Amino acid sequence: MASTSSLLSSAVTEEEVTLTVKWSGKEYTVRVCGDDTVGELKRRICEVTNVLPKRQKLLYPKVGSKLADDSLLLSQLPLKSSLKMTMIGTVEDDIIVDQVDSPEIIDDFELGQAEAVDIKDKEVNKQKLRKRIDRCKIELRNPCRNGKKLLVLDIDYTLFDHRSTAENPLELMRPYLHEFLTAVYSEYDIIIWSATSMKWVELKMGELGVLDNPNYKITALLDHLAMITVQSDSRGTFDCKPLGLIWAQFPEFYNSRNTIMFDDLRRNFVMNPQNGLAIKPFKQAHSNRDKDQELVKLTHYLLAIAELDDISHLDHKNWESYNEDTFKRRRHA
Ligand code: MG
């Protein structure tokens, strides 16, 4: 019974709708499916307008405030190609200025183990991932290297304090960033994945000197368009960074056994809990610039585990004690 009804509904919902979106005096065309969510529609709109999804307010005849719910399926709305949608939103250039005053949701909620497993295994989320794999092609800046593991790095609060202000962005860079990247590059290809937009990823990484450093190369940059929106019972919907997107496009190089991802938000690796390491956020750069040693300690960890064939069985929560144990083993050897 269940499979029959899901077949029936997927026949209806996979239908594509072409929508016209009006924004700032111009019209844009986006194509969506019924089984996309409002959140995904906003991503499509972002691709053509550069207005980040969280900045968009969507207006459409007869749907009221429903478009404020990012988890709502588009098949639940009376969308028609003949009607135009209006988007109200701030252009990206204003956002950095805005960021300083706007409170941001930064709480790193911890999902229960059972719930996290549930999200990763849910068919609807796997399907979202497959769709993202089809739509989002990763552009390589440098070739993948044979025999290397993969390190995926978040930017904000991981490599950079984006909430403090400074005349020179270098003052907000996490200490030892270049030393860290140089050292781990010997064993890992490096991909940077931020929940902001490509424009800012390139700008920030360029300003910090990460993109043209002679001592290491960045394999690829990914932004929010590569993320997927998932739903949890206790926390509602949120975006996350599914590593499966990378594994599907470069299966001869990267997989769940040789990839590790650093992010200050644990929820970002909910689709790959075994591959995530929750890094202590780097905040208040001006007072912590001289104290923060995380990247030095993590260099030791990454180089120590690089000799393992499979790093997915490690519990990265215990990375600090792994360092101590390795140190002790070496002293007693
Ligand atoms: Mg972050």
Side-chain angles (χ1 to χ4, degrees):
M1 276 308 268
S3 66
T4 316
S5 71
S6 74
L7 268 180
L8 282 176
S9 66
S10 71
V12 177
T13 56
E14 274 171 18
E15 211 170 284
E16 281 212 354
V17 189
T18 302
L19 289 172
T20 305
V21 180
K22 293 195 290 184
W23 173 68
S24 200
K26 286 197 186 128
E27 294 191 354
Y28 301 86
T29 304
V30 290
R31 283 155 70 90
V32 287
C33 302
D35 58 352
D36 283 338
T37 57
V38 171
E40 273 147 2
L41 167 63
K42 288 181 179 172
R43 272 188 237 278
R44 299 275 86 72
I45 297 176
C46 175
E47 283 177 320
V48 290
T49 62
N50 270 337
V51 177
L52 290 177
K54 65 177 175 186
R55 303 276 151 178
Q56 298 176 19
K57 206 178 244 320
L58 302 180
L59 309 173
Y60 197 73
K62 292 184 194 166
V63 300
S65 60
K66 283 182 180 166
L67 286 164
D69 176 2
D70 282 351
S71 63
L72 190 75
L73 288 176
L74 297 182
S75 57
Q76 293 170 267
L77 296 168
L79 298 180
K80 286 184 202 129
S81 298
S82 55
L83 291 176
K84 286 175 187 170
M85 182 172 278
T86 300
M87 188 267 281
I88 301 169
T90 322
V91 204
E92 242 193 300
D93 296 81
D94 306 333
I95 286 169
I96 263 204
V97 181
D98 194 9
Q99 261 183 1
V100 182
D101 336 290
S102 65
E104 186 196 17
I105 307 142
I106 45 166
D107 76 301
D108 184 17
F109 54 77
E110 183 97 36
L111 296 161
Q113 184 81 13
E115 195 176 12
V117 170
D118 199 41
I119 290 174
K120 153 173 94 63
D121 294 337
K122 254 187 193 157
E123 190 47 45
V124 56
N125 293 334
K126 289 183 185 172
Q127 198 181 331
K128 280 182 186 170
L129 174 58
R130 285 196 292 273
K131 215 179 252 182
R132 185 62 75 254
I133 291 167
D134 290 342
R135 284 179 178 176
C136 174
K137 293 290 167 236
I138 300 173
E139 266 179 57
L140 291 180
R141 301 176 67 91
N142 288 290
C144 308
R145 296 175 303 163
N146 253 323
K148 299 299 176 193
K149 293 189 162 55
L150 175 64
L151 171 65
V152 179
L153 295 168
D154 168 50
I155 297 178
D156 290 342
Y157 286 151
T158 297
L159 308 181
F160 184 79
D161 173 11
H162 62 298
R163 303 290 282 181
S164 296
T165 48
E167 276 186 21
N168 187 333
L170 289 172
E171 294 172 44
L172 305 178
M173 179 175 89
R174 194 163 206 159
Y176 307 103
L177 177 61
H178 296 297
E179 293 85 345
F180 164 76
L181 293 174
T182 302
V184 301
Y185 183 67
S186 63
E187 303 295 336
Y188 295 81
D189 281 348
I190 301 160
I191 289 185
I192 291 175
W193 191 345
S194 166
T196 57
S197 69
M198 192 51 78
K199 186 173 153 188
W200 291 119
V201 176
E202 287 179 340
L203 184 76
K204 267 184 209 164
M205 292 298 97
E207 282 181 334
L208 298 186
V210 168
L211 300 181
D212 57 358
N213 196 292
N215 299 316
Y216 57 83
K217 291 189 167 78
I218 301 299
T219 304
L221 300 175
L222 297 180
D223 68 356
H224 69 107
L225 294 173
M227 296 173 78
I228 60 169
T229 309
V230 296
Q231 187 150 22
S232 69
D233 295 335
S234 65
R235 297 293 183 152
T237 59
F238 60 92
D239 286 354
C240 68
K241 302 173 179 172
L243 291 171
L245 176 82
I246 300 174
W247 299 334
Q249 296 189 32
F250 309 101
E252 65 279 43
F253 295 99
Y254 313 128
N255 53 58
S256 64
R257 296 176 307 283
N258 70 5
T259 304
I260 181 167
M261 169 177 179
F262 290 2
D263 205 301
D264 60 297
L265 296 178
R266 191 173 289 279
R267 62 171 176 265
N268 275 331
F269 40 79
V270 70
M271 291 294 283
N272 327 90
Q274 272 313 109
N275 301 92
L277 184 151
I279 190 169
K280 198 171 100 196
F282 177 60
K283 297 181 181 176
Q284 282 150 356
H286 298 294
S287 48
N288 290 321
R289 203 160 49 228
D290 300 326
K291 296 179 228 158
D292 188 278
Q293 297 281 329
E294 291 303 290
L295 292 181
V296 176
K297 293 190 269 175
L298 284 162
T299 305
H300 290 298
Y301 182 60
L302 286 183
L303 295 180
I305 65 171
E307 55 195 45
L308 305 173
D309 288 331
D310 181 355
I311 56 174
S312 68
H313 66 272
L314 295 168
D315 185 349
H316 297 310
K317 268 188 188 156
N318 302 328
W319 71 270
E320 285 179 284
S321 56
Y322 188 93
N323 270 1
E324 283 159 26
D325 292 349
T326 321
F327 184 66
K328 277 183 208 148
R329 274 201 303 276
R330 295 220 164 120
R331 262 190 7 173
H332 292 135

